[in-house]
Amino acid sequence: MTLKLDAKIPAGPLAEKWDKHRFEMKLVNPANKRKFKIIVVGSGLAGASAAATLSELGYNVSCFCFQDSPRRAHSIAAQGGINAAKNYRNDGDSVQRLFYDTIKGGDFRAREANVYRLAQVSVDIIDQCVAQGVPFAREYGGMLANRSFGGAQVSRTFYARGQTGQQLLIGAYQALEKEIARGGVTMFERHEMLELVLVDGKARGIIVRDMLSGEIESHAADAVILATGGYGNVFYLSTNAKGCNVTATFRAYKKGAAFANPSFTQIHPTCIPVAGDYQSKLTLMSESLRNDGRVWVPKRREDVGKQPSQIPEADRDYYLERKYPSFGNLSPRDIASRAAKEACDDGRGVGPGGRGVYLDFADAIKRLGKAAIEERYGNLFEMYQRITDENPYERPMRIYPAVHYTMGGTWVDYNLMSTIPGLHVAGEANFSDHGANRLGASALMQGLADGYFVIPYTIGDYLASTKLETVTTDHPEFQAARTVVEERTQRLLSINGTRTVDSFHRELGLLMWDKCGMARNAAGLREALERIPKLREEFWRDVKVPGSGAELNQSLEKAGRVADFLEFAELMCIDALHREESCGGHFRTEHQTEDGEAKRNDAEFAYVAAWEYAGEGKPPILNKEPLVFENVHLSTRSYK
Amino acid sequence: MSGAGTAQPMQLTLNVWRQKSPAEPGRMVKYPAKDISPDMSFLEMLDVVNERLIQAGDDPIAFDHDCREGICGSCGLMINGAAHGPMKLTTACQLHMRSFKDGDEITIEPWRAKAFPVIKDLVVDRSAFDRIIQAGGFISVPTGTPQDANALPIPKPDADLAMDNAACIGCGACVAACPNASASLFTAAKISHLGVLPQGQPERSRRALAMVARMDLEEFGGCSLFGECMAVCPKGISIDAIQRMNRDYAFAMATKSDAKEWTGAA
C-alpha cells in the first residue's frame, strides 16, 4: 500500500456529521469566487447541476461535453424515478430508512457517512426540482405522486411518466443554460477530455480534443470536476448510450487517482433481450414495470416453445414470488437478475436463444384496466412494441438482464475529492454511495445530490484552504500532456490494419460478459486476464482507423475510447478476482450458499478496494479503505 | 408477431448525402446495403454499411446518435423525405428495418435548414436550439432550499399538460419538416411547459418575448401553421403549443411596458 486513503469522515454522530462539516468547512469570500476557475467535465445530472450551481455561487466555470448539446447526456435515458425520504405517503419512511435501505441494498459495501448524507439531501432535491418546473407526476389533489421501487417497502419514488431522467436533466440543463446566458459558465460542446493535467501534484487542467476541428486544446483551472458517468460500455452491449466511456476517469487513474471497486457493475433485470449479432445496444424497460408485472418462466423445459397464453397458470413458475415472498417481483436488481439467469441456465428461458423470461401484465390489466396500465407505462409499452414487434398488452414482455450501471468508479473521500488534490468526481463516475449494488431510482438522487448540494460546498473548502499558484496552459505539464495526446492520436491513425474498432469492442465485450458479467469465477477471470492483453496487442497492431485527426472522425473517437476499455477491462478482472466473496452485483460462483444466494465475507472483505496505477506493464497496487459500520448491523441481506 | 431473428434478410440500396466539411459542396452517393435483417434498427443498418465501408478503405458515413432509445435527441435523419422516417412517433434510432421491404431504395439526408448548417455528411449544427433556451427557457431559481415541494399543489391536468410539452427531445425534426424551417414547435413546447405551471408565471411574458426574438435572430422561418412539425414530432407534441406561444407573446407585447427591452435584448 502506497497511498494514504483518508476518507475524511467528520467525527460525531451520523445524523450530525454533514451539518457539522458544513459549518467547519472554509468559505470563499463572495468577491473572490469569480477569481477561481473550475472545470466540469460532463453535463449529465451531476455535471450540469454542479456547473450551474457553482456559477450561481460566483465561480468562473467551464463545462465540457462530447455531445452536441449538454441536454443529451445519458442521464436523460433514466426512466423510472428518483428516491427521496419525503414520507409523503405516511408509510414509515424517514432519512434513517432510506439510509438503511441504501446501505443494505448495496450489500454493506458503501460508506455509512456518505449514504446518510445522500438520504438527508434527497428531500432538498425534490424541492429544488419542483421549483425549477420539473413536471413530476401528480395526483388529482395536486400533490406529488409516488411509486414503489425494488429493494424498498415504502413508496418513495418520484417520477415523471417513464422519463424521469429526461425531466431532471432538462431541469439541470435549463439551470445551466441560464448560467451560460449570464456568462458564468462557458460551455464547450463536442469536446472530449483526453488527458488530465497535474501541476505540483494538483489537478490543474485538462487536454481536450475539439471533435469538429480535431484541434487539441489545453484548459487550465484551479480545480477539476469529473462527472463523466459510468463504464458499462466495457461490455460493448449495455443500456448505456453509445458514447459513454471510461476515458476521463481512466486517464485520471493513470495520473494517480485511485479507482475503487471496478468490478462492481450492475446488471439490470428488465431489458429487452438480444436479438441478433448486429445489435448495437440494449434497451432497458424500467424497473417500475415490476410494480405491476409478474415475472415467470414455464415450469417445464418442454413448454418454452409454446405460446405463453397456452401455458396454464399451474405450469408457470413465478420464481421471484416463490423464492422471495416478501419482496417478490420487487426484489433488488442483482437478485432478480441472477434469478433470471438461473431460470435460463436451467433451460427454461423463452424467446430466441432461450435467454429471456416473461414479464406479464395480464393480472394487472384484469385488476386495474388497460387504461390504468397505459397511463403508468404507455411509453414503455410502445417502445417495447417498436423494438420487438410484439404487443405487450396482449402477450407478456420478454426480458433479460443487461449491463446498466457501474457502482465502481474513482475513489473519493467524503468531500468527493479523489486521491489527486483538486480532482473531484461526482455522480456515477465516483464509487461513493451504492456499495456493491445500486437500488432503483438512486442514481438520479446521487447525481443531483453531488452536483447541487455536496460539491458546491466541498470545493469551496478546497479552494479556500489550498495554496494555488497561478498556472497557465503554457506550463510544461500542459505541453507534455498535449504531446501525449497528439502522439496517441497519431499512432491510432497510422496503424491502418485490417480490423475495425467496433470488431475489437465487440470481442472485448463478449469476453467481459462471459467472464466478468453476472457470475464470475477464478478460472474464468484468469482466462480473461490472459486474453485481454493479447486482444489489446492485436488492437494496437491491426486496428483500422480511417480519415485524419483534423476533422470530425467518429472512428477515431471510438478508437481512443476502446483503447482505454482494453486496459480498464484488465483492472476490472483483477478486482473481481481478488474479491473472494459474493456481494451485490459481484457474484463469485465459488462463494454461494446452498440455495444459490450470495455469500459475503465481512471478516476479510468489508473494505473498499482502491486500485493505484503502478506504471506501464506493472500490476496495480491494492489500497484498502476499511468500511466501519457503527450505525447498522451487518446482516445477511434477505428479501425472503 | 415477427419472431425475432427468423425473418429473411433484405437487399437494399441507399442514397446518402455525403459532404466532407461545411465549406465543401455535398452530393448524393449510392451504396448497396446487402443482407439487412428486418429486426435491425435503422442506425444498426447504417453501422453495418459503415463497417463494410471501413473494410473497403472508404470513409464511413458520419451521423449523430447516442442513446439509441429515442430520448437523447441526437439522431435526426431525413429518410425518404420524412424526418425520422416513415413511422409515427418514432426517432430514427427506434425505427426498425421491418418498416422497409426487400429491394427498396432509401434516400438519407441531413436536416435541411439555414439555422442548422451541415457539419459533415448527416451531422448538422443544432446549437441554435441551445441559444433559444438561453434566451429564457428556464425558471430563474438558484440552487438552495426552496419551499417544500408539496406546498405548491398543481392540478393534475396542468402537470400533465406541462409534461406533454416538456417531453420534447430537441431533435430538430420539427424544423426539418417545416417548409419555412421554423423552430416554432420547439420554442413553443418550452414556453408551454413552463408557462402552464405556477412556478413559471413570474417570467412568463419575458420568456415568450425573449425566446421568440432569439428564434428570429437565429434565422429560423416564421410559422404558417402547416402542421408538418406535429406530424413528424417523435414525442407527439401538439401544435396547440404554438397557439399558447403566440398568445403569450401577443399578451406581453400589448401589456408589458418593457416588452421592447426583452425582444431586443435577445
Side-chain angles (χ1 to χ4, degrees):
Chain A
M1 251 190 254
T2 55
L3 280 172
K4 194 179 165 308
L5 293 176
D6 179 2
K8 303 212 175 95
I9 299 166
L14 188 63
E16 292 165 25
K17 283 181 196 291
W18 179 231
D19 258 2
K20 185 165 164 288
H21 190 56
R22 278 198 293 180
F23 179 70
E24 285 169 357
M25 277 188 288
K26 286 192 183 147
L27 298 174
V28 178
N29 178 310
N32 284 339
K33 286 202 178 95
R34 67 188 158 81
K35 295 177 193 157
F36 287 108
K37 178 147 178 207
I38 301 172
I39 283 174
V40 180
V41 187
S43 67
L45 285 182
S49 61
T53 304
L54 290 165
S55 169
E56 286 166 5
L57 288 170
Y59 294 108
N60 180 359
V61 179
S62 289
C63 184
F64 298 80
C65 71
F66 70 74
Q67 298 88 347
D68 71 324
S69 162
R71 68 178 293 149
R72 308 205 196 282
H74 191 54
S75 306
I76 204 150
Q79 298 169 355
I82 177 165
N83 287 327
K86 281 286 195 184
N87 195 30
Y88 283 160
R89 304 291 112 189
N90 197 31
D91 56 0
D93 202 6
S94 63
V95 167
Q96 178 72 22
R97 189 174 296 280
L98 175 52
F99 156 72
Y100 182 75
D101 285 351
T102 308
I103 283 277
K104 178 186 168 195
D107 217 354
F108 304 95
R109 290 294 174 265
R111 209 185 269 152
E112 276 190 344
N114 285 57
V115 177
Y116 195 87
R117 174 178 65 189
L118 177 68
Q120 281 176 306
V121 303
S122 70
V123 295
D124 298 333
I125 295 170
I126 302 302
D127 297 343
Q128 179 65 30
C129 292
V130 166
Q132 288 172 344
V134 170
F136 283 120
R138 301 223 168 219
E139 292 164 350
Y140 281 98
M143 297 293 138
L144 290 159
N146 289 104
R147 56 167 57 139
S148 305
F149 247 70
Q153 287 176 315
V154 294
S155 192
R156 63 159 76 98
T157 304
F158 295 80
Y159 63 100
R161 291 191 193 145
Q163 292 136 270
T164 317
Q166 180 200 25
Q167 293 310 313
L168 297 174
L169 183 65
I170 294 295
Y173 158 76
Q174 287 171 189
L176 177 62
E177 293 296 334
K178 164 175 74 71
E179 292 305 303
I180 294 170
R182 206 182 54 75
V185 179
T186 309
M187 188 71 217
F188 296 85
E189 298 94 353
R190 294 197 197 264
H191 279 68
E192 181 163 41
M193 170 179 156
L194 294 177
E195 206 58 76
L196 178 74
V197 181
L198 269 56
V199 176
D200 299 331
K202 299 188 188 82
R204 293 307 300 269
I206 58 173
I207 307 293
V208 296
R209 179 171 179 270
D210 177 332
M211 292 154 78
L212 296 185
S213 68
E215 199 177 325
I216 308 296
E217 301 171 0
S218 304
H219 294 266
D222 296 293
V224 176
I225 299 171
L226 299 185
T228 50
Y231 49 84
N233 274 348
V234 68
F235 294 95
Y236 186 74
L237 283 183
S238 81
T239 67
N240 284 188
K242 293 297 286 176
C244 295
N245 65 81
V246 76
T247 291
T249 48
F250 192 67
R251 293 279 133 213
Y253 162 74
K254 290 184 105 174
K255 285 282 171 82
F259 206 104
N261 303 332
S263 69
F264 288 178
T265 50
Q266 177 162 80
I267 316 290
H268 196 292
T270 53
C271 300
I272 300 177
V274 176
D277 55 13
Y278 48 80
Q279 190 122 12
S280 61
K281 80 155 279 163
L282 296 170
T283 303
L284 178 97
M285 292 279 104
S286 168
E287 175 164 306
S288 62
L289 291 167
R290 289 197 277 144
N291 269 300
D292 289 303
R294 296 179 69 196
V295 178
W296 64 275
V297 290
K299 272 185 188 162
R300 295 191 304 254
R301 281 175 207 151
E302 50 270 33
D303 285 349
V304 295
K306 284 187 184 167
Q307 290 294 323
S309 57
Q310 281 163 0
I311 303 174
E313 254 333 279
D315 293 339
R316 300 176 176 191
D317 178 13
Y318 293 92
Y319 57 84
L320 285 176
E321 296 170 33
R322 171 172 60 79
K323 291 167 83 166
Y324 309 102
S326 69
F327 279 70
N329 293 300
L330 283 177
S331 296
R333 291 177 173 178
D334 52 340
I335 287 176
S337 291
R338 251 184 335 262
K341 180 178 188 293
E342 272 167 31
C344 296
D345 288 349
D346 190 34
R348 295 185 294 138
V350 296
R355 303 316 289 186
V357 301
Y358 288 125
L359 179 62
D360 196 336
F361 292 87
D363 281 358
I365 291 171
K366 216 180 286 168
R367 191 173 72 245
L368 304 161
K370 191 183 163 196
I373 295 301
E374 201 174 341
E375 158 98 17
R376 280 180 205 178
Y377 312 113
N379 63 325
L380 298 171
F381 278 42
E382 275 165 36
M383 193 196 300
Y384 180 83
Q385 185 157 11
R386 262 198 297 272
I387 293 171
T388 62
D389 208 18
E390 294 173 12
N391 179 352
Y393 292 103
E394 288 164 9
R395 180 191 168 90
M397 285 183 179
R398 287 176 296 109
I399 54 163
Y400 197 68
V403 176
H404 177 55
Y405 186 88
T406 52
M407 283 75 69
T410 307
W411 183 90
V412 288
D413 63 16
Y414 186 74
N415 296 318
L416 304 185
M417 191 158 89
S418 70
T419 51
I420 296 175
L423 181 72
H424 293 70
V425 186
E428 188 178 351
N430 75 30
F431 89 106
S432 73
D433 294 346
H434 307 296
N437 173 56
R438 178 176 67 74
L439 290 181
S442 285
L444 303 185
M445 171 171 69
Q446 187 226 332
L448 289 181
D450 289 359
Y452 282 137
F453 297 113
V454 179
I455 280 224
Y457 290 91
T458 58
I459 214 159
D461 184 50
Y462 170 76
L463 294 171
S465 56
T466 309
K467 177 113 185 66
L468 292 162
E469 307 292 337
T470 304
V471 167
T472 67
T473 53
D474 298 332
H475 193 282
E477 292 292 349
F478 277 91
Q479 302 296 344
R482 262 182 84 111
T483 307
V484 167
V485 170
E486 281 162 356
E487 284 176 0
R488 192 165 48 225
T489 305
Q490 216 34 59
R491 203 175 145 207
L492 285 168
L493 286 164
S494 60
I495 297 165
N496 197 20
T498 64
R499 285 185 65 182
T500 64
V501 176
D502 275 3
S503 80
F504 282 103
H505 197 176
R506 272 180 207 277
E507 188 175 338
L508 175 70
L510 273 175
L511 176 65
M512 292 301 282
W513 179 241
D514 210 27
K515 307 296 178 196
C516 197
M518 247 189 297
R520 297 125 183 219
N521 59 53
L525 290 164
R526 286 206 184 91
E527 191 192 324
L529 284 168
E530 267 181 42
R531 282 170 58 188
I532 294 165
K534 287 182 187 148
L535 188 62
R536 191 166 60 226
E537 185 273 325
E538 190 187 341
F539 174 89
W540 284 104
R541 180 167 43 79
D542 197 27
V543 74
K544 188 179 181 75
V545 184
S548 80
E551 59 178 336
L552 174 62
N553 185 340
Q554 294 173 323
S555 299
L556 176 63
E557 293 159 18
K558 280 196 275 193
R561 295 167 191 167
V562 172
D564 284 335
F565 277 136
L566 280 164
E567 289 184 50
F568 176 73
E570 212 173 335
L571 187 65
M572 269 178 81
C573 292
I574 289 170
D575 185 47
L577 183 61
H578 113 280
R579 193 168 276 278
E580 292 282 352
E581 65 164 350
S582 293
C583 59
H586 171 66
F587 191 77
R588 283 282 299 264
T589 54
E590 304 97 319
H591 305 288
Q592 54 181 313
T593 63
E594 270 173 24
D595 50 355
E597 300 293 338
K599 208 157 120 192
R600 250 182 21 232
N601 180 350
D602 293 330
E604 290 176 85
F605 289 96
Y607 64 78
V608 176
W611 297 92
E612 178 189 351
Y613 183 65
E616 207 66 52
K618 289 183 188 151
I621 301 160
L622 173 63
N623 297 273
K624 297 177 183 177
E625 179 201 339
L627 290 166
V628 183
F629 295 93
E630 293 169 332
N631 300 275
V632 299
H633 172 66
L634 271 84
S635 58
T636 300
R637 210 162 57 121
S638 170
Y639 294 92
K640 290 193 172 176
Chain B
M1 129 170 209
S2 71
T6 56
Q8 285 298 314
M10 301 187 290
Q11 313 306 323
L12 307 164
T13 306
L14 308 183
N15 287 304
V16 185
W17 182 260
R18 301 303 308 263
Q19 182 172 344
K20 209 156 167 38
S21 73
E24 287 164 75
R27 65 196 174 95
M28 299 300 293
V29 179
K30 211 178 267 288
Y31 297 101
K34 290 197 179 118
D35 301 322
I36 298 300
S37 159
D39 291 320
M40 282 179 191
S41 73
F42 197 83
L43 302 190
E44 284 167 349
M45 181 274 294
L46 284 179
D47 290 343
V48 168
V49 171
N50 271 345
E51 288 288 284
R52 292 172 188 162
L53 284 176
I54 296 170
Q55 291 289 5
D58 289 329
D59 206 22
I61 303 159
F63 61 96
D64 264 328
H65 65 97
D66 203 19
C67 79
R68 298 202 174 192
E69 49 187 273
I71 194 75
C72 74
S74 295
C75 64
L77 306 171
M78 273 299 200
I79 302 168
N80 289 337
H84 289 302
M87 283 276 280
K88 294 273 174 221
L89 300 173
T90 304
T91 53
C93 65
Q94 294 269 282
L95 177 68
H96 280 68
M97 295 313 291
R98 64 179 79 95
S99 294
F100 301 88
K101 53 181 198 308
D102 191 27
D104 275 359
E105 199 161 314
I106 305 172
T107 300
I108 311 170
E109 295 169 89
W111 290 164
R112 305 274 189 197
K114 194 173 178 191
F116 287 168
V118 173
I119 292 170
K120 182 179 182 180
D121 298 341
L122 305 171
V123 177
V124 301
D125 177 358
R126 286 170 291 193
S127 57
F129 270 9
D130 288 329
R131 292 189 292 274
I132 291 174
I133 298 296
Q134 282 162 30
F138 47 78
I139 288 171
S140 297
V141 51
T143 306
T145 311
Q147 65 177 351
D148 185 87
N150 258 351
L152 189 69
I154 299 174
K156 186 174 186 302
D158 293 358
D160 286 348
L161 181 60
M163 180 63 212
D164 289 343
N165 286 284
C168 169
I169 57 173
C171 64
C174 48
V175 174
C178 177
N180 305 344
S182 169
S184 286
L185 191 64
F186 169 79
T187 308
K190 187 48 61 194
I191 287 173
S192 292
H193 158 209
L194 300 174
V196 301
L197 293 172
Q199 304 94 305
Q201 296 314 307
E203 294 169 293
R204 185 170 167 184
S205 289
R206 172 190 148 173
R207 180 180 307 119
L209 293 169
M211 289 180 76
V212 169
R214 185 78 220 187
M215 184 168 69
D216 293 344
L217 193 70
E218 295 289 346
E219 301 195 77
F220 287 104
C223 173
S224 315
L225 290 174
F226 287 117
E228 293 290 334
C229 51
M230 182 162 85
V232 300
C233 176
K235 297 294 142 178
I237 292 173
S238 164
I239 201 166
D240 292 353
I242 297 180
Q243 289 187 24
R244 235 173 268 115
M245 171 174 78
N246 290 342
R247 206 164 56 221
D248 280 3
Y249 186 82
F251 178 81
M253 283 301 263
T255 62
K256 304 293 170 190
S257 56
D258 60 350
K260 284 266 176 325
E261 193 183 314
W262 289 112
T263 53

